[in-house]
């Protein structure tokens, strides 16, 4: 199962996903490729694969990406290889991607589960993004400006979680994943195995 998590920058995707990865078993994370510069503390291969624009373009031409998009002026993409590796290991996988990426995945993977994280208000988003201290003032302004369009996309998602209290919101994201795992279509095989034990 592919779980797409989107929000405006500073909405809390990273915070909630980190918590959920700790509590939900058999869940992987797709490390994206990006052309943006690493932030302090970000590691190549863990937070992103940081690549030059030419390399990214080459990969895109070679069909290496399930989806890619220009976000806040940089290129970001989900590699097929990342997703397939996790799925092959029997993991569900979280894609932390923007609303354009979510649109692409929705078109390509009809049973992908999509979740939009909304901050409680624009003012709180501004405070949290400013408090994170990871962007220069111009970049921060751009991200807050783009947030106004991004939040309007929430209706295209299967689930909407308001990130007021981080513990509560993370529990809700975990609940969505658990509930989606229990859907009849995803349980047919396991249920059949159980039923076989009844016919002996
Ligand atoms: P994103 O990954 O969507 O850009 P982050 O997870 O980095 O957002 O969150 C942005 C900032 O807001 C971070 O400094 C984070 O610690 C803080 N934050 C996230 N969720 C909450 C919350 N529920 N309450 C208070 N602060 C939060
Ligand atoms: P940041 O620079 O804050 O890490 O990410 C900026 C935006 O790019 C966020 O909305 C994030 O979800 C999005 N993003 C990260 N990786 C990908 C990706 O692989 N594809 C797409 N479409 N967006 C991504």
């Amino acid at each position: 199962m592919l779980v797409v998590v989107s929000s405006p920058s500073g909405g809390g995707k990273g915070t909630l996903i980190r918590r959920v990865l700790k509590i939900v078993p058999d869940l992987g994370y797709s490390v994206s490729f990006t052309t943006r510069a690493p932030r302090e503390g970000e590691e190549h291969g863990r937070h992103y694969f940081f690549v030059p624009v030419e390399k990214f373009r080459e990969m895109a031409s070679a069909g290496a990406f399930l989806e890619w998009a220009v976000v806040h002026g940089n290129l970001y993409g989900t590699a097929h290889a990342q997703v397939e590796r996790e799925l092959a290991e029997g993991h569900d996988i979280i894609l932390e991607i923007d609303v354009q990426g979510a649109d692409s995945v929705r078109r390509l993977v009809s049973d992908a589960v999509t979740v939009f994280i909304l901050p409680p208000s624009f003012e709180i988003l501004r405070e949290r993004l400013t408090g994170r201290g990871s962007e220069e003032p111009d970049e921060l302004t751009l991200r807050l400006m783009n947030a106004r369009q991004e939040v309007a996309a929430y209706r295209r998602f299967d689930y909407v979680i308001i990130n007021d209290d981080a513990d509560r919101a993370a529990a809700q994201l975990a609940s969505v994943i658990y509930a989606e795992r229990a859907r009849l279509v995803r349980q047919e095989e396991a249920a059949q195995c159980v039923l076989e034990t009844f016919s002996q």
Side-chain angles (χ1 to χ4, degrees):
M1 174 170 92
L2 256 56
V3 183
V4 171
V5 180
S6 301
S7 82
S9 184
K13 296 175 296 295
T15 302
L16 302 185
I17 290 170
R18 266 194 306 281
R19 289 172 185 229
V20 164
L21 287 170
K22 280 189 194 141
I23 55 178
V24 178
D26 301 325
L27 189 62
Y29 176 80
S30 164
V31 179
S32 294
F33 283 73
T34 185
T35 61
R36 105 156 145 64
R39 293 179 190 139
E40 211 178 303
E42 280 185 334
E43 286 170 36
H44 183 81
R46 192 158 92 85
H47 297 91
Y48 281 106
F49 293 101
F50 296 98
V51 292
V53 177
E54 310 77 63
K55 167 82 180 158
F56 192 102
R57 294 254 177 234
E58 251 171 52
M59 290 180 68
S61 305
F65 295 123
L66 172 67
E67 64 74 35
W68 67 271
V70 181
V71 192
H72 315 313
N74 290 302
L75 298 166
Y76 294 83
T78 306
H80 279 292
Q82 283 281 304
V83 174
E84 273 148 28
R85 190 173 313 125
E86 292 290 341
L87 294 179
E89 284 176 21
H91 295 161
D92 294 323
I93 180 161
I94 293 194
L95 309 186
E96 182 182 346
I97 61 180
D98 86 313
V99 294
Q100 305 166 76
D103 289 341
S104 303
V105 172
R106 214 180 275 112
R107 276 194 300 271
L108 291 165
V109 185
S110 59
D111 67 345
V113 177
T114 59
V115 184
F116 196 82
I117 312 288
L118 265 179
S121 69
F122 180 75
E123 208 36 54
I124 293 176
L125 178 71
R126 185 207 300 277
E127 282 168 17
R128 287 184 184 166
L129 199 53
T130 311
R132 189 170 75 184
S134 49
E135 272 79 33
E136 297 295 328
D138 283 358
E139 177 70 20
L140 193 93
T141 305
L142 174 70
R143 285 175 178 240
L144 287 172
M145 208 170 67
N146 290 342
R148 296 190 193 276
Q149 278 117 50
E150 289 168 331
V151 292
Y154 81 91
R155 283 178 180 280
R156 302 203 289 272
F157 287 72
D158 301 317
Y159 296 91
V160 177
I161 294 177
I162 298 185
N163 180 18
D164 38 21
D165 174 74
D167 286 340
R168 191 208 57 78
Q172 202 167 24
L173 181 55
S175 305
V176 164
I177 295 169
Y178 283 129
E180 284 291 334
R181 282 182 177 176
R183 268 189 192 278
L184 177 62
V185 288
R186 298 199 175 93
Q187 288 294 354
E188 280 289 18
E189 219 179 294
Q192 280 307 318
C193 290
V194 174
L195 260 69
E196 273 169 29
T197 69
F198 282 72
S199 56
Q200 280 150 18

